[in-house]
């Protein structure tokens, strides 16, 4: 079984290729961020509603 070929990473020097690869790896899609933020806000909204009912 042969290993998969290395992915193509843009850049002219080793440092540019490394920097682009790390940036691509660590970048989070905006949709994932928006979804997580909405979930967090909904959770906090429920907590605040419970706290208001208790008072």
């Amino acid at each position: 079984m042969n290993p998969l070929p290395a992915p193509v990473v843009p850049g002219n020097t080793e440092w540019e290729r490394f920097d682009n690869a790390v940036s691509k790896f660590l970048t989070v899609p905006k949709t994932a961020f928006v979804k997580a933020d909405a979930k967090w806000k909904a959770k906090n909204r429920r907590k605040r509603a419970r706290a208001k009912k208790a008072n």
Side-chain angles (χ1 to χ4, degrees):
M1 183 175 201
N2 292 334
L4 296 174
V8 177
V9 180
N12 295 329
T13 64
E14 285 186 35
W15 173 250
E16 287 177 356
R17 285 191 294 274
F18 173 76
D19 191 40
N20 288 334
V22 170
S23 295
K24 187 180 271 189
F25 179 74
L26 295 178
T27 301
V28 177
K30 185 176 179 179
T31 55
F33 176 76
V34 170
K35 185 177 178 180
D37 192 40
K39 188 175 180 180
W40 181 81
K41 284 181 180 180
K43 185 178 178 182
N44 276 356
R45 208 175 297 125
R46 281 182 271 165
K47 283 183 180 178
R48 276 193 240 125
R50 288 182 196 157
K52 285 182 181 179
K53 285 182 182 180
N55 289 335

